[in-house]
Amino acid sequence: MGSVPELRTVEPELADTSATKLNTVGQALALLRFLADATMPMGVNAISRQLNFAPSSCFRILKQLADAGYAQFDNRTKCYSLGSAAVLLARRSLDPSNTFSLLLPSLTDFVSRTQASVGFWRRIDRDRIVLAGFVESPNPMRIHMSIGQRLPLYIGAVGRAFAAALGLSDDQIRYELAQLRWQIPPDTDEYCRQVQCCRQTGYAVDEGNFAPGVTTVATVLTDTMGGLSYGLSAIRIAGQIGRSEISSIGDALVDLREELGSTWLAQR
């Protein structure tokens, strides 16, 4: 099974996690981040030393987190680890409006017709997208991507589609591309031409730049307020797809976008 490499980002750390600098909410967030990064369960005293918290405060907050399911306490070892409620909360944060679930029947039908895996991307800030949903193709050799993967906005086929929809000029595109790291960097002028082409066809294509041996076709979706909030990427292993099929999948993506725009968005 093929896999798309993940580009990982590092979360900014709190500059000072001492109890004198943080209120209770800040301490709870620091504890959750600590448990998320910990490689093994740890006791209260060890955690309080690492975070420079008073042991009594650390114990009190950890107990509350454990009672709510955000931390897990092992009675045998007296150690804490991250709880399952934190996982559920994180998953919910990927798609607060539950959009992927609403689209899933249409996306599943698209996958069965095109034999392409489909990624559902949500724009989370000015220059980032996150994979909020994924439907694998039925092919024996297929692409897998991890939910929660975050990428720069303008990378890959989805990036070209966003650049086209947001109306970036060639100079703006060149600036944005200079900030990115690719597996195989595209030629900047060619990327600009591909963005222009996307404005005409409604879909963009990445052939091996984001991930060698992988061809991706993508388009973007607007939310109920007309904002460019979502991207759809159809993904195939390069040896399984020809030029004519790329166009067919692209046209099918545009049709799907129009279908969704006139049905589920209108109903919300």
Side-chain angles (χ1 to χ4, degrees):
M1 180 182 296
S3 62
V4 176
E6 297 186 17
L7 303 181
R8 298 184 181 274
T9 58
V10 178
E11 294 292 338
E13 296 182 355
L14 294 173
D16 190 337
T17 56
S18 63
T20 58
K21 296 293 183 181
L22 297 176
N23 58 23
T24 301
V25 173
Q27 291 179 47
L29 291 173
L31 282 165
L32 284 171
R33 289 181 177 178
F34 181 86
L35 293 177
D37 291 336
T39 57
M40 63 175 62
M42 297 177 65
V44 172
N45 289 332
I47 295 173
S48 64
R49 284 195 299 270
Q50 290 286 331
L51 293 177
N52 195 25
F53 285 0
S56 58
S57 297
C58 190
F59 172 76
R60 175 175 53 82
I61 297 173
L62 281 171
K63 187 177 185 305
Q64 292 174 337
L65 291 173
D67 289 342
Y70 292 98
Q72 182 173 328
F73 178 67
D74 188 324
N75 279 302
R76 183 178 58 84
T77 63
K78 308 301 181 185
C79 290
Y80 288 88
S81 57
L82 193 65
S84 60
V87 177
L88 296 175
L89 186 64
R91 288 178 178 173
R92 182 61 176 166
S93 72
L94 294 176
D95 188 18
S97 300
N98 207 31
T99 304
F100 177 68
S101 294
L102 295 173
L103 300 185
L104 187 55
S106 296
L107 297 182
T108 301
D109 176 68
F110 178 89
V111 168
S112 67
R113 288 187 287 109
T114 64
Q115 302 295 295
S117 298
V118 170
F120 172 70
W121 301 86
R122 185 171 73 88
R123 188 179 180 190
I124 54 176
D125 53 35
R126 177 192 168 276
D127 58 0
R128 288 276 166 182
I129 55 176
V130 62
L131 185 64
F134 191 73
V135 184
E136 286 191 354
S137 81
N139 290 328
M141 295 293 293
R142 59 188 182 271
I143 303 299
H144 173 76
M145 298 183 72
S146 300
I147 302 299
Q149 179 177 355
R150 295 187 304 162
L151 295 175
L153 179 62
Y154 298 111
I155 206 163
V158 176
R160 292 169 172 86
F162 269 110
L166 290 169
L168 266 62
S169 68
D170 287 357
D171 286 343
Q172 289 173 317
I173 290 172
R174 290 188 177 92
Y175 172 81
E176 296 293 347
L177 288 186
Q179 318 305 312
L180 304 181
R181 291 179 298 172
W182 301 69
Q183 289 286 319
I184 301 177
D187 177 80
T188 302
D189 290 338
E190 180 61 23
Y191 185 104
C192 291
R193 285 192 291 270
Q194 291 167 347
V195 170
Q196 292 292 341
C197 182
C198 179
R199 291 185 178 128
Q200 299 174 1
T201 63
Y203 65 87
V205 180
D206 180 289
E207 296 184 80
N209 295 124
F210 172 60
V214 174
T215 296
T216 306
V217 187
T219 192
V220 294
L221 299 172
T222 56
D223 57 27
T224 54
M225 303 299 292
L228 291 168
S229 299
Y230 306 111
L232 292 177
S233 59
I235 309 160
R236 292 279 295 273
I237 294 174
Q240 297 177 347
I241 185 170
R243 178 61 52 185
S244 62
E245 196 170 6
I246 291 175
S247 298
S248 296
I249 290 176
D251 290 338
L253 266 181
V254 173
D255 290 343
L256 176 62
R257 181 189 68 190
E258 298 304 316
E259 171 194 332
L260 296 175
S262 61
T263 55
W264 74 272
L265 283 177
Q267 296 170 7
R268 294 184 60 188

